[in-house]
Amino acid sequence: LLRGVPARAGCGDEHTLPTMTVVSPEAPPARRRTKRLVTILASLLALALIAGGGYLWYARQHALNNVKQENLMPSVVAQKLVVPQDAQGNLIDNDKAAVVDDQGQPIDATTLHVNGRDEVADARERVMLSLNGTALPRSSDSQQGTVIVGVPSTAIAQPGKADTAGNSLNFLVIGQDKASGGVSRSDVMVIAHISSDRKRVDLIHVPRDLYVSIPGQGKNKINAAYAFGGAPLLVQTLQPLLGVPIDHVVRVDFDGFKAITDSLGGVWLPVDGQRVRMNGTQALSWVRERKTLSQGDISRGQRQMQFIRAVMMEYLGHGELKDPAQVKKLIDSTSDNLVIDQNLSADDLQKLATSLGDVNGANLKMWTAPWISAGPGPHGMAIVTMSEPQMAKLSQALKTDSMATYTDDVSPKSGFGG
């Protein structure tokens, strides 16, 4: 409707347009009903999307609030105390040459620790490294007694990655078992290497009996690192072993694995050449079994990885769940049983999980840290002996994010080596 809208003539005089009324023809009744129905359906769809978005926001916030953080990574000072060492446990520099004291003797890397003056000392409290990057004096005459020829801590660098590694990540996944008298043990130690393009994940099982040097504790089974110093000491033990930094740590207890499995409605696991659907209790029993397996703890570790892989595949398969109650159940079971390190936010973890949408069974690979034998060791311990040359190859593949080309023809495929 146009009512007397003033307009300007070309000569500047004003005049008024006549009043006009535009009338639409009457729409047929059937067409009006169709239009009304479409409007109603569109409104309902919009409400559903708003409600769904609101629920997803709630579920996300619920998960973020439930995830627990702990100091699972070494402190800043402790991270400076990196002790790369040779097979004999001697401290080595970036050129892999043994670091010696003023008597020309190799330094036992397994006894090094940070003293109260922020210096690195050995078991006899002889200062070895200065954490501020300055070299210690080459003098044996001082008020403190004999001073060892020191090297700057920058010469004992943190393990790093090559430029080709891009934004690849190394997660340490710790499975904590409280089955025996409530005492926690790191019975599951798996390195999850996530490729820079987020299209591949490599799971590397670290046998709990692997015989290694533990900073400040000497040679022992790697499982002892967790008992001596929790996740931070385990990280410090693994980093020089693998030759790459551990970026983050995730811990879940075995009861958590059970709850997650049940929330998924079970997982598919291999039994006698067939795939069997197992609930949480059955899967936990299957993972804990060791005595009847052909390679004992090595085989058990492979089962642990198969279980982690099965859970990941189930989660990927549930990516389009429509049932809000089921979604909430999945979120609750995960966030209630998960502990992440102090440097990783739940938001970051969620974004990472979202970025792994292209990972499937074909590019989720499983490995065992390279070994050559399993059997009796010092002090009556049963140990797994590492293959150092093969470990160097694994380290290089992790450093360069080239796990797609990694192979292991050294670790025994049956029996216990020798």
Side-chain angles (χ1 to χ4, degrees):
L1 182 64
L2 302 175
R3 296 185 181 276
V5 179
R8 291 187 180 275
C11 62
D13 298 331
E14 290 190 0
H15 66 278
T16 303
L17 293 175
T19 299
M20 299 177 60
T21 302
V22 180
V23 180
S24 299
E26 185 70 19
R31 187 178 297 175
R32 290 201 306 273
R33 286 195 298 272
T34 301
K35 184 177 180 181
R36 190 177 297 117
L37 179 60
V38 170
T39 302
I40 293 171
L41 289 175
S43 300
L44 290 174
L45 178 60
L47 287 172
L49 289 173
I50 292 171
Y55 177 79
L56 291 176
W57 178 87
Y58 162 76
R60 178 177 179 276
Q61 291 303 118
H62 180 76
L64 297 184
N65 292 336
N66 273 17
V67 172
K68 296 176 283 293
Q69 283 184 297
E70 290 184 10
N71 295 327
L72 302 180
M73 292 287 289
S75 67
V76 175
V77 171
Q79 278 286 54
K80 293 179 182 178
L81 177 54
V82 180
V83 284
Q85 53 204 262
D86 58 22
Q88 289 71 46
N90 298 319
L91 182 68
I92 56 176
D93 60 21
N94 284 345
D95 297 324
K96 305 205 180 291
V99 178
V100 298
D101 60 21
D102 60 347
Q103 302 298 316
Q105 298 300 312
I107 298 172
D108 185 357
T110 65
T111 65
L112 300 186
H113 62 278
V114 179
N115 65 19
R117 296 183 298 277
D118 206 26
E119 300 164 328
V120 179
D122 69 357
R124 294 164 54 189
E125 296 302 325
R126 301 183 303 174
V127 177
M128 297 292 168
L129 305 176
S130 171
L131 294 183
N132 62 13
T134 61
L136 297 171
R138 288 178 173 271
S139 170
S140 58
D141 300 323
S142 72
Q143 294 179 351
Q144 289 77 29
T146 302
V147 178
I148 304 303
V149 175
V151 295
S153 59
T154 51
I156 311 297
Q158 285 276 16
K161 304 174 188 175
D163 292 339
T164 55
N167 195 32
S168 61
L169 292 171
N170 299 304
F171 273 71
L172 169 60
V173 180
I174 300 174
Q176 184 173 277
D177 193 357
K178 298 179 181 178
S180 302
V183 178
S184 298
R185 305 189 309 269
S186 57
D187 275 1
V188 178
M189 288 167 283
V190 173
I191 304 299
H193 176 79
I194 302 171
S195 66
S196 182
D197 62 9
R198 302 296 184 258
K199 294 182 179 180
R200 178 183 172 108
V201 175
D202 288 88
L203 302 177
I204 304 163
H205 164 240
V206 181
R208 65 177 187 173
D209 293 339
L210 197 66
Y211 195 60
V212 299
S213 293
I214 301 174
Q217 302 292 336
K219 299 273 284 188
N220 208 323
K221 296 193 290 188
I222 197 168
N223 193 36
Y226 190 80
F228 290 145
L233 184 57
L234 184 55
V235 169
Q236 287 184 283
T237 303
L238 282 166
Q239 286 183 148
L241 197 67
L242 296 169
V244 291
I246 300 297
D247 296 296
H248 293 293
V249 180
V250 175
R251 191 187 73 217
V252 60
D253 62 43
F254 275 48
D255 289 337
F257 277 126
K258 178 181 175 182
I260 292 170
T261 304
D262 286 335
S263 72
L264 292 166
V267 294
W268 291 99
L269 293 168
V271 177
D272 298 329
Q274 298 180 337
R275 294 173 72 243
V276 176
R277 189 81 175 178
M278 296 188 188
N279 61 28
T281 301
Q282 293 166 331
L284 198 53
S285 176
W286 184 83
V287 167
R288 281 194 174 122
E289 179 57 39
R290 178 180 57 173
K291 294 182 179 179
T292 63
L293 304 181
S294 61
Q295 289 184 292
D297 193 55
I298 300 295
S299 296
R300 176 177 157 169
Q302 292 166 351
R303 281 195 172 192
Q304 291 166 353
M305 287 191 294
Q306 287 174 323
F307 179 53
I308 294 173
R309 185 177 187 273
V311 169
M312 290 181 67
M313 289 297 96
E314 286 291 334
Y315 262 106
L316 292 173
H318 283 71
E320 296 182 1
L321 281 171
K322 304 299 182 184
D323 181 0
Q326 179 68 1
V327 173
K328 184 176 185 301
K329 187 177 180 182
L330 286 171
I331 291 173
D332 284 345
S333 64
T334 304
S335 58
D336 287 346
N337 295 284
L338 195 68
V339 179
I340 60 179
D341 69 72
Q342 68 271 30
N343 302 326
L344 179 67
S345 72
D347 200 22
D348 290 338
L349 190 60
Q350 185 188 46
K351 289 176 183 177
L352 176 62
T354 303
S355 71
L356 297 176
D358 291 334
V359 176
N360 54 41
N363 48 20
L364 180 53
K365 303 296 184 180
M366 300 182 297
W367 307 92
T368 298
W371 61 288
I372 52 176
S373 66
H379 312 296
M381 292 188 293
I383 65 169
V384 173
T385 303
M386 177 178 62
S387 168
E388 291 192 40
Q390 186 64 29
M391 181 63 83
K393 293 181 180 180
L394 174 61
S395 173
Q396 183 65 16
L398 292 172
K399 283 180 181 179
T400 57
D401 192 26
S402 58
M403 286 298 294
T405 63
Y406 175 72
T407 58
D408 180 3
D409 298 322
V410 175
S411 301
K413 302 298 186 290
S414 61
F416 298 97

